[in-house]
Amino acid sequence: MKARDHIQNALYFMIDPFVRLLIRVGVTPNAVTTIGLVLNIFAAIIFIIGGEIGRPGNLSYIGWGCGLVLFAGMFDMLDGQVARKGNGSSRFGALYDSVIDRYSELIMFFGICYYLVSHHYFITSLIAFIALVGSMMVSYVRARAEGIGIECKGGFMQRPERIITIGFSGVITGILSAFSGGNQKVYIEGIPFHLMETMSLFFVALLAVALFSNITAINRLRCCHDKLMK
C-alpha cells in the first residue's frame, strides 16, 4: 500500500465518529458537499477583504483564509464517507461532488489571486494562476480519460495534496507575519535584492502546486496515450 493510502486511511479513521454522527442526524452527502462549497466562498471573501482593506505586510488574512480552506477540505473527505457508510451513493451524487469540488477550487484560487494582485505580489499571482490551470487539468484529464473507458487516477498533486499544501503554508505564513511582520526580508551581503521574505513560504507552496499539478496532468495524458496506442 502506498504512503498516500496509509495517510488517507488514518484520516478516515479519525473522522469516522463525525461521519457516523452526520449519518445519524440525517445529513445527506450532497449537503456535506454544499457546506464545503459555502466554506470556500467565505474563505475567498476573507482573501478579498484582505485585498481591499488589509495593510501591506498584514498577512493574517492569508492565515485565516487558508485555515478556512483546510476546514472546508475536511468536508471534501466527509461527503464520500457519508455516502458510502450511509448507503447514500448515487451517480448524480458523484457528479455533483465532482462539479462542486471544481467550483470550490476555482473560488479559492480567485480569492487568493485577488489578494495577491491587490497587494502587488505580481509574480506570486502568476504562479497562483498557473497552479489553478494545473489543478483544473488534473481533474479534466481524468474525467476525459474515464469518459473513453480509461482509468486515470495517478499523480502526486491531487486535490487533497493541493488543499493541504496551500492551506498549511497559508496558515503558517499568517502566524509568522504575526510574530516577525509581513514585510520581514532576508538579505545576503553583496546581493542587491532580498533572498526571501515572510511571503516566501506561501510562494513556494503555490509554486509546488503549479509545478506538480501540471506534471501530474501531463503524466496522466501520457499514460492515456500509452494505453490507447497499444
Side-chain angles (χ1 to χ4, degrees):
M1 184 181 288
K2 297 179 181 179
R4 185 178 189 274
D5 295 328
H6 285 295
I7 295 172
Q8 188 177 60
N9 288 337
L11 289 172
Y12 284 154
F13 177 78
M14 288 188 288
I15 66 173
D16 187 64
F18 193 35
V19 170
R20 296 184 184 280
L21 175 63
L22 291 174
I23 294 171
R24 193 175 301 118
V25 299
V27 179
T28 66
N30 289 351
V32 177
T33 303
T34 304
I35 292 171
L37 172 64
V38 172
L39 291 173
N40 273 290
I41 291 172
F42 279 113
I45 291 172
I46 292 174
F47 289 125
I48 292 169
I49 292 173
E52 286 295 313
I53 67 173
R55 294 179 292 101
N58 180 6
L59 306 181
S60 63
Y61 292 95
I62 291 179
W64 287 108
C66 286
L68 195 52
V69 164
L70 282 175
F71 185 57
M74 183 182 72
F75 286 84
D76 188 36
M77 297 181 61
L78 285 171
D79 56 8
Q81 290 296 95
V82 170
R84 282 186 286 273
K85 296 195 173 185
N87 296 319
S89 299
S90 67
R91 294 175 66 186
F92 175 75
L95 174 62
Y96 183 76
D97 178 47
S98 181
V99 171
I100 296 302
D101 282 352
R102 302 292 78 73
Y103 270 114
S104 294
E105 205 157 7
L106 283 165
I107 290 167
M108 176 195 74
F109 274 112
F110 171 75
I112 290 172
C113 287
Y114 190 100
Y115 178 92
L116 295 172
V117 171
S118 295
H119 287 282
H120 308 292
Y121 292 107
F122 180 67
I123 300 299
T124 309
S125 67
L126 288 179
I127 296 299
F129 178 74
I130 295 170
L132 166 61
V133 172
S135 299
M136 293 301 104
M137 292 310 298
V138 167
S139 302
Y140 182 76
V141 174
R142 175 180 174 179
R144 289 295 296 146
E146 290 179 347
I148 57 176
I150 299 175
E151 186 176 275
C152 187
K153 296 182 179 180
F156 167 66
M157 196 57 75
Q158 299 181 53
R159 178 166 164 78
E161 289 94 335
R162 297 194 298 268
I163 296 303
I164 290 172
T165 301
I166 292 173
F168 274 111
S169 67
V171 169
I172 295 172
T173 298
I175 293 172
L176 286 177
S177 72
F179 290 96
S180 64
N183 288 321
Q184 187 72 26
K185 295 178 174 61
V186 176
Y187 291 88
I188 301 295
E189 188 175 351
I191 298 178
F193 53 86
H194 65 273
L195 189 65
M196 60 182 296
E197 58 183 302
T198 310
M199 188 67 168
S200 296
L201 177 63
F202 196 52
F203 169 81
V204 170
L206 289 171
L207 181 62
V209 173
L211 180 64
F212 289 110
S213 62
N214 281 286
I215 289 174
T216 296
I218 292 169
N219 282 341
R220 285 183 173 186
L221 185 62
R222 186 179 62 182
C223 177
C224 292
H225 173 271
D226 293 343
K227 290 180 179 180
L228 290 170
M229 293 302 174
K230 284 183 179 180

